[in-house]
Amino acid sequence: MIVLEWLFLTIAPCDAAEPWQLGSQDAATPMMQGIIDLHHDIFFFLILILVFVSRILVRALWHFQKEKNPIPQRIVHGTTIEILRTIFPSIIPMFIAIPSFALLYSMDELVVNPAITIKAIGHQWYRSYEYSDYNSSDEQSLTFDSYTIPEDDLELGQLRLLEVDNRVVVPAKSHLRIIVTSADVLHSWAVPSPGVKCDAVPGRLNQTSISVQREGVYYGQCSEICGTNHAFMRAPGKIGRLLSPLWLSRTTQGASHPRSKLLQRAAGAVWSRGARQ
């Protein structure tokens, strides 16, 4: 019973890493679901190959040991077996490559008209986020910094080395465009549940598109070694309904916030665009 409970806890759906976790985090986008399905399919055939090769190896060790065959046979050439052992291993990567390339190219597809665009800027050792669609010259731009919360300041239920003081909040079931860059050294913006990993290169803009299908809080990290505090660069985000008072309250902490008017206009624009999609 204890073993079953341990196994259930390790494979239960989650949006953050867990102790002794086996497998990937629960998929939040069709792209991540495709990655998980491809992994499972390949792993199934790997198990078959492992069983087949192990059986041949064990059978050879059992039947051709010294006690059973004191005088070994001298076989130096076998045309048939050499052809088979060359053809079959070459066919297997071809079957793996077809779905792999299809998934790889689909990950590079970009949305022409996204509901919202977010710019993520890496720093040593924090991130800045900018809702690029809603900046204006007459009001304060919608930008904020996101720092990892120190362990001593964590509240009950918050995850160690994963929580930040300002989360990115985006709508669910909408096409999102993420623009990633860096202000100093190489970083990488990676969030496992949506299946996103994009390098942040100084002086260069990289972009990726995601479409999160369910609400939740998704935890990410910098996956490119960027210096002493690399382990403290996190990228959690909250996925809410088609934008709403929840998004405004979590981002502005009230109507008196200096960015509240800009956020309300941004939420209205995203709502109308998301509803059309």
Side-chain angles (χ1 to χ4, degrees):
M1 186 65 181
I2 297 177
V3 175
L4 292 178
E5 291 180 357
W6 173 83
L7 183 60
F8 173 77
L9 291 175
T10 56
I11 64 176
C14 57
D15 298 322
E18 295 184 353
W20 301 99
Q21 179 178 339
L22 300 177
S24 303
Q25 297 181 17
D26 194 28
T29 62
M31 196 63 59
M32 186 59 188
Q33 188 61 52
I35 294 173
I36 294 176
D37 291 342
L38 178 63
H39 169 269
H40 292 347
D41 294 341
I42 294 177
F43 199 77
F44 171 75
F45 290 104
L46 288 179
I47 292 176
L48 295 182
I49 295 172
L50 176 63
V51 172
F52 176 72
V53 174
S54 299
R55 182 179 182 279
I56 294 178
L57 181 60
V58 171
R59 183 178 176 86
L61 293 175
W62 176 260
H63 289 284
F64 297 97
Q65 54 182 308
K66 183 178 179 180
E67 288 76 8
K68 292 182 177 294
N69 292 279
I71 302 176
Q73 297 181 3
R74 297 183 177 273
I75 300 176
V76 296
H77 183 70
T79 304
T80 303
I81 194 171
E82 289 180 0
I83 293 176
L84 293 177
R85 76 181 185 189
T86 303
I87 292 178
F88 280 104
S90 62
I91 293 177
I92 294 174
M94 291 176 59
F95 281 101
I96 296 177
I98 294 174
S100 298
F101 280 117
L103 181 63
L104 182 63
Y105 282 110
S106 64
M107 294 174 65
D108 288 336
E109 292 182 358
L110 299 176
V111 178
V112 177
N113 188 27
I116 190 171
T117 299
I118 297 177
K119 185 177 181 181
I121 306 172
H123 302 268
Q124 289 181 309
W125 289 271
Y126 65 97
R127 296 186 187 277
S128 297
Y129 293 97
E130 175 183 316
Y131 287 77
S132 305
D133 294 335
Y134 313 112
N135 290 339
S136 62
S137 57
D138 58 333
E139 297 186 50
Q140 184 177 356
S141 61
L142 183 51
T143 61
F144 58 90
D145 297 331
S146 181
Y147 290 85
T148 302
I149 298 178
E151 186 174 355
D152 296 337
D153 298 335
L154 290 176
E155 298 178 358
L156 183 64
Q158 290 185 327
L159 302 177
R160 174 180 174 270
L161 295 182
L162 287 177
E163 298 288 351
V164 295
D165 53 358
N166 291 314
R167 293 174 176 172
V168 179
V169 185
V170 294
K173 297 183 179 179
S174 299
H175 293 291
L176 312 175
R177 175 170 58 193
I178 312 296
I179 299 176
V180 183
T181 187
S182 172
D184 37 48
V185 300
L186 287 175
H187 298 281
S188 184
W189 195 79
V191 187
S193 287
V196 180
K197 183 181 183 298
C198 190
D199 289 340
V201 183
R204 176 174 178 175
L205 296 177
N206 290 333
Q207 65 176 334
T208 184
S209 299
I210 59 174
S211 178
V212 182
Q213 298 300 305
R214 61 182 176 83
E215 301 174 24
V217 179
Y218 304 100
Y219 294 90
Q221 62 281 320
C222 177
S223 57
E224 188 76 35
I225 296 178
C226 56
T228 306
N229 292 329
H230 162 70
F232 299 95
M233 285 196 65
R234 300 301 175 189
K238 183 175 182 62
I239 310 297
R241 294 181 177 87
L242 281 177
L243 284 190
S244 53
L246 172 65
W247 186 68
L248 291 173
S249 62
R250 289 299 180 92
T251 312
T252 63
Q253 286 82 40
S256 60
H257 193 278
R259 296 195 297 259
S260 60
K261 293 182 179 179
L262 181 61
L263 282 167
Q264 290 171 2
R265 189 171 71 245
V270 174
W271 177 276
S272 60
R273 296 174 67 180
R276 288 198 301 270
Q277 294 181 356

